[in-house]
Amino acid sequence: MAYVKAAHQKFLGEQVPPLKIDDKQLARWHPGFDLNGLELPTPAKLPEPPISTKLLSATELLQSVDRNRAAPPPGMEQAIQSNMAKVIEQQKTVEEPEEKADGAKGEENPSSVIC
């Protein structure tokens, strides 16, 4: 439609005196405008569709989820290992003072004493 409106504006500009009408106010074509005689616009080449892997079935979707779930991203793997190292270190520091305190007393373990 924009192509026809542009051709109509060009036609109106070639008239004597030149006519200028806003496209929003255009209600009909000029009687001398040959609508059927317009040259067709040259067709443009369509863009290529994007290359993507589409899942074709529910089975393929489930297989894809299983593959992706099996291997966490590298950053997550590093974070898990770092966190586990901190947890193990904290457990060692909590257990060591208890062992030193029990050994320093030289007494029986309080849990083995019957009241």
Side-chain angles (χ1 to χ4, degrees):
M1 189 68 170
Y3 178 77
V4 176
K5 285 184 178 183
H8 187 252
Q9 285 292 345
K10 182 179 176 185
F11 172 80
L12 293 176
E14 293 171 351
Q15 299 301 307
V16 178
L19 302 172
K20 180 70 176 159
I21 299 176
D22 188 25
D23 284 342
K24 294 178 183 177
Q25 295 176 345
L26 184 64
R28 63 185 180 95
W29 305 121
H30 187 279
F33 180 64
D34 185 15
L35 187 59
N36 294 328
L38 284 177
E39 291 182 22
L40 295 176
T42 56
K45 183 180 176 185
L46 293 174
E48 295 292 325
I51 298 172
S52 65
T53 56
K54 292 186 178 180
L55 301 174
L56 301 176
S57 67
T59 304
E60 290 177 352
L61 175 65
L62 291 173
Q63 290 172 349
S64 170
V65 169
D66 285 341
R67 280 192 302 265
N68 293 336
R69 187 173 32 164
M76 184 179 291
E77 186 68 33
Q78 292 173 353
I80 291 171
Q81 289 175 356
S82 173
N83 191 26
M84 287 301 295
K86 289 178 184 177
V87 168
I88 291 171
E89 190 64 34
Q90 287 175 352
Q91 287 177 348
K92 286 181 182 178
T93 57
V94 168
E95 291 174 1
E96 288 175 2
E98 290 176 2
E99 292 172 359
K100 289 179 182 177
D102 290 343
K105 290 180 184 177
E107 300 175 2
E108 293 183 16
N109 190 355
S111 60
S112 63
V113 176
I114 302 174
C115 298

